[in-house]
Amino acid sequence: MSDCPQTAQEGTFLKPEHTKVTRHSDVPSLSKPPTLPPNAHLEGDCRGVASILARVGDKWSVFVIMLLGGGPRRFNEIKRMIGGISQRMLTLTLRGLERDGLVTRTVFPTIPPRVDYELTDLGRGLWTPVGALGKWAQDHLVEIEDARARFDRRNEAG
């Protein structure tokens, strides 16, 4: 029996394999912490950036931004072009993008009312990197699917 505590995972015992720890004082370049400018890390800044990245990194937002890069689109047109998105999720996504100043919503006084969504200048600035990310994902889809399959096979065997 080992001195290491038993984990909840099927009675696996933890055994330390690497016990030599390098201390900062043993490495000249690490003996002093790096000097940061005043207020280099403000909690509010991190939260703000995180909320923006959460919006921009959301899969539905990426699809909507990519589509609107081609010009204004109507709600149902966007919904048809993005397979698998529900009406509610598209509504929430467009609302969030509008709130963040990335998309404008224009209502035309027709019967029935026509509503167009379009990227703002800020949204068009985001379209290039989001489009590049989407293109990268599309270009590497097969490689990533192959890597996932290899990973899953390895982990199923173990």
Side-chain angles (χ1 to χ4, degrees), residues 44-107:
D45 289 349
C46 289
R47 285 188 184 147
V49 169
S51 72
I52 293 167
L53 292 176
R55 165 73 56 217
V56 173
D58 171 75
K59 72 176 180 177
W60 299 122
S61 295
V62 169
F63 285 133
V64 169
I65 291 166
M66 288 173 60
L67 281 175
L68 293 179
R73 305 235 188 238
R74 295 176 74 173
F75 183 91
N76 284 330
E77 184 180 6
I78 297 169
K79 188 171 180 319
R80 274 192 306 274
M81 294 176 85
I82 301 177
I85 191 168
S86 69
Q87 183 164 333
R88 176 168 164 67
M89 186 52 65
L90 181 55
T91 298
L92 292 173
T93 300
L94 287 166
R95 223 178 258 159
L97 291 169
E98 184 180 8
R99 180 173 183 257
D100 289 346
L102 301 170
V103 168
T104 58
R105 179 180 186 266
T106 306
V107 180

Side-chain angles (χ1 to χ4, degrees), residues 102-136:
L102 301 170
V103 168
T104 58
R105 179 180 186 266
T106 306
V107 180
F108 295 93
T110 59
I111 299 178
R114 180 178 145 197
V115 181
D116 281 0
Y117 294 90
E118 184 175 12
L119 291 178
T120 62
D121 287 341
L122 186 62
R124 279 189 287 279
L126 181 59
W127 179 73
T128 300
V130 166
L133 178 62
K135 182 176 178 351
W136 181 89

Side-chain angles (χ1 to χ4, degrees), residues 1-41:
M1 190 72 133
S2 171
D3 294 335
C4 295
Q6 191 173 5
T7 68
Q9 275 189 341
E10 303 171 9
T12 304
F13 291 93
L14 299 176
K15 180 181 172 193
E17 296 292 327
H18 178 74
T19 56
K20 181 169 171 40
V21 177
T22 304
R23 293 183 311 231
H24 282 272
S25 59
D26 295 340
V27 181
S29 65
L30 296 177
S31 59
K32 285 177 154 180
T35 305
L36 296 173
N39 301 325
H41 174 78

